[in-house]
Amino acid sequence: MCSDHAPAVEIPAVNGTNGVTNGRRQPKLPYQQHHSDERSNTGRFQIIESTLREGEQFANAFYDTETKIKIATALSDFGVEYIELTSPVASPQSRADCEAICKLGLKAKILTHVRCTMEDAKVAVATGVDGVDVVIGTSQILRDHSHHKSMAEITETAIEVVKWIKSQGVEVRFSSEDSFRSNIVDLLSLYQAVDKAGCDRVGVADTVGVATPRQVYKLVRTLRDVVSCDIETHFHNDTMCAVANAHAALEAGATHVDTSVLGIGERNGITPLGGLLARMIVESPDYVKSRYKLAKLKEIEDLVADVVQVNVPFNNPITGYSAFSHKAGIHSKAILAKPETYEILNPSDWGVKRWIHFSSRLTGWNAIKSRAGQLGLIITDEQAKLLTQKIKAMADVRPLAIDDTDSIIRSFCLEHQPEDQPDQ
Amino acid sequence: MCSDHAPAVEIPAVNGTNGVTNGRRQPKLPYQQHHSDERSNTGRFQIIESTLREGEQFANAFYDTETKIKIATALSDFGVEYIELTSPVASPQSRADCEAICKLGLKAKILTHVRCTMEDAKVAVATGVDGVDVVIGTSQILRDHSHHKSMAEITETAIEVVKWIKSQGVEVRFSSEDSFRSNIVDLLSLYQAVDKAGCDRVGVADTVGVATPRQVYKLVRTLRDVVSCDIETHFHNDTMCAVANAHAALEAGATHVDTSVLGIGERNGITPLGGLLARMIVESPDYVKSRYKLAKLKEIEDLVADVVQVNVPFNNPITGYSAFSHKAGIHSKAILAKPETYEILNPSDWGVKRWIHFSSRLTGWNAIKSRAGQLGLIITDEQAKLLTQKIKAMADVRPLAIDDTDSIIRSFCLEHQPEDQPDQ
């Protein structure tokens, strides 16, 4: 059964207030014990949406120009602050598409992502983008097996490229690649150098999906005290930590998070747009609701899933088939009484509905009584308990469809003919 | 193209050694900077596999007896230490199935999960299980809207139930429900009381998926100093932190993690078995490989996906369609030279293969040269670069199938007729 009457989840605000009221600190529950120190940007982050760059590196992605424009327009309308596009150096059409999207005049700023070389930077700036994201591998393994450059060479080129892009009046981000397998001294020295060269953002990238939230927190917190510019973060999801890592980065002072719709990207992808927002709305509901058109998330996910020919995973956050389904009797009873008992997210914020199962051996009499009510059949608690035993006995033998259960409910009510039963 | 020759990922061991060699601490990379303090159990955790309990609460799950036995047997063979079953109180068949699985003599210990009451405990013990997992909601919201019991009543019953189960020679776990929205003093007092009553494990449960890794770390680390028994943890995945939270719990001293196959459970489920192992193998490869038959993971996931009628998500860790696919030219080049450049997991550990894309506008000449080699066509670097331009030009216009690209490669090679070209 669907229930629409979920009030907003009542979470005491912890951000910004430091938990102090009337001069006394308020006691906190364990889930509220996050740092609300001045570094934390969990209530003021920005999204760099990379479905059109990282997402194009997903196995199935082939975007024609029209598709790219459709996705970019939808993302800008959704409210993401930046849209990142494939390098114009990748192919002639990539370049033409980049130029076309820059001319759309979208609200979101347009970025493109290129290698940290003067050649790539020049092509990038010429497309008319608002900003250029440059990147180079800094771990020993990438230096040995990918580009064979020393840290001194990397630093020298990075400074030249950053300065040149800034001289063109264009925003610039410098990111290391494989940051978490890079030497920390090398990393911090490089970031400090590009910061001094006028970089708008430095990027920390977990290119292989190896980092854990505590490692992310530690690195970003250290970096926060080294550079004065913004800090962008990029997390692959190989070990399923991409959302938690993004959250930890924001807690430590990062300012920007890279996402893609459904997380698509190289291998099993990066921090998904929906997953990040599910995480962040718990902590910063006002901020998230004020910036992003959450009810449009499902439409954008369906669009991208269709383009890259995948199914939205059954367990996708928020929009997955089962994200708001409740089944065990104990859960259903409490959800019927007060949805916040078993929901930290409010489906109505996202334009989706909850679903309470009543056709299984795990069902409880509260769900059955509620279903009878939806069918216009009024029964007592005692009758509901008896009826539930019958339904559980049937569901113990075979899977029950909703129609099966509804038939059992109707037949039970006919049999018991309560005097005040509406005739139907 | 598939490449099979991945050597094991060479990660310097950090667990157990404390990073000290020849009396000197070794410098560490950022991803190695986790705590290797004595509390951490990242190298000695146990899995409580709950596909047959939490997983039965997934919207689509209907398990007949034969299916339950098949899943339980596969999980035990895989190597999980515990298998948790639906409460025998849920329905007569649930009880009969629980008894049947106890009689199989599986290597894994069999648990069942019941409400914290004497009535449920007695039914549970009578089934012949190795252990009983009892649970009760401790947050104010669950106490108000679910069971209406005070903390004093909860504590009194919990002590009685724990003592009685122990008196029957059966293992017992006491878990709070919604732990992260419970009062910390209430929680710790209750855990301390059941620990003193002889509990084998206390359970911390993020029932609504609200917690973040740093909150988990803090709570479990505090709890570790309060109780002497083992600590089990259970994380829902509503905000996509379930794997990171389980990892943080182990770092903080938890001993057991609840999982389900593909993460199935209420709403969008809990920490998935495969996701947890993907995370843990990075840190503790020897431990994970010694205990679990990783090459069987895909078979178990396919079995469960089939039973509950879902597709394995395209982005599932390890076994997802794209988990080991590489597409961008820079990635492919490095993967061909050394897979560890862009893979922190080794597909051969899991009996799966990597895939390097060569049919897209993002491809690079190294991937094309390698593909030509697979076709028995030897070309020079210069020829490969020229050929790659042709392929990228085609892929810029429309999606290319593998056959299309292979045709372009063959036709190019015919045209250029290198003298040493094998005739085919």
Side-chain angles (χ1 to χ4, degrees), chain B residues 223-234:
Chain B
L223 178 58
R224 183 62 289 170
D225 293 337
V226 168
V227 297
S228 58
C229 64
D230 285 343
I231 299 175
E232 176 179 340
T233 53
H234 181 91

Side-chain angles (χ1 to χ4, degrees), chain A residues 59 238 266-269, chain B residues 1-3 6 9 278 314 316-327 335 339 342-357:
Chain A
D238 300 75
E266 287 280 355
R267 306 186 310 281
N268 69 344
Chain B
M1 73 196 69
C2 289
S3 157
V9 180
F314 72 92
N316 204 47
I318 299 158
T319 60
Y321 153 75
S322 63
F324 293 99
S325 82
H326 305 274
K327 186 163 166 186
I335 281 281
Y342 285 99
E343 279 175 0
I344 195 68
L345 303 170
N346 184 342
S348 69
D349 285 341
W350 312 83
V352 298
K353 298 201 183 268
R354 78 169 55 83
W355 176 260
I356 297 173
H357 270 254

